[in-house]
Amino acid sequence: MPRIRIKYFSDKIEKLRYIEGKSDWIDLRCAEDITLKQGEFKLIPLGVGMQLPEGYEAHVVPRSSTFKNFGIIQTNHCGIIDESYCGDNDQWFMPVLAMRDTEIHVNDRVCQFRIMEHQPVVEFEECEHLAEEDRGGFGSTGKA
């Protein structure tokens, strides 16, 4: 099991924890009270920084209830934090756009993350045909 060093930038948020058997994603919380008007952008401080193991990265995405609860969307849709972002001031943030007026409070769960190994180096091989049978080109049915 990889060991991850973590620094908390706020003593107001709950400590991170892995909930075994429920999900392999870990919730991240807002580290300050935030008020946003519709159309405003904000980097939400998540109150943590981590030193990820070499060869790993964190994928940060909204929770399924984030838009319903707070009316915000994550502007980069999936944040990638690699192991080089591990300095003493490298707090994690979630970039958001408010789709309605909203308030987010300290300790509200706004996003989640998981640790992934880096993608291996791949080589692309150009070809004329990918498979023997043509599926029609769209989705599982081949129909638009």
Side-chain angles (χ1 to χ4, degrees), residues 42-86:
K42 173 79 174 172
L43 290 173
I44 295 178
L46 301 173
V48 298
M50 296 180 212
Q51 186 176 22
L52 301 175
E54 188 174 330
Y56 286 82
E57 62 196 23
H59 293 195
V60 180
V61 300
R63 298 179 76 243
S64 60
S65 61
T66 296
F67 185 77
K68 175 182 69 83
N69 290 341
F70 305 109
I72 57 174
I73 57 172
Q74 184 173 342
T75 58
N76 58 355
H77 303 290
C78 177
I80 307 297
I81 301 172
D82 68 23
E83 74 269 25
S84 70
Y85 191 69
C86 63

Side-chain angles (χ1 to χ4, degrees), residues 91-107:
Q91 178 176 194
W92 290 13
F93 290 86
M94 179 189 187
V96 302
L97 180 66
M99 303 308 289
R100 61 173 163 83
D101 292 357
T102 189
E103 290 184 1
I104 306 166
H105 300 287
V106 170
N107 227 24

Side-chain angles (χ1 to χ4, degrees), residues 16-65:
L16 296 188
R17 59 192 169 100
Y18 178 77
I19 303 172
E20 195 166 334
K22 185 172 181 186
S23 174
D24 58 354
W25 291 81
I26 300 167
D27 288 337
L28 292 165
R29 298 168 182 274
C30 184
E32 66 182 43
D33 288 330
I34 294 173
T35 301
L36 292 169
K37 297 288 185 197
Q38 181 178 357
E40 285 186 322
F41 171 83
K42 173 79 174 172
L43 290 173
I44 295 178
L46 301 173
V48 298
M50 296 180 212
Q51 186 176 22
L52 301 175
E54 188 174 330
Y56 286 82
E57 62 196 23
H59 293 195
V60 180
V61 300
R63 298 179 76 243
S64 60
S65 61

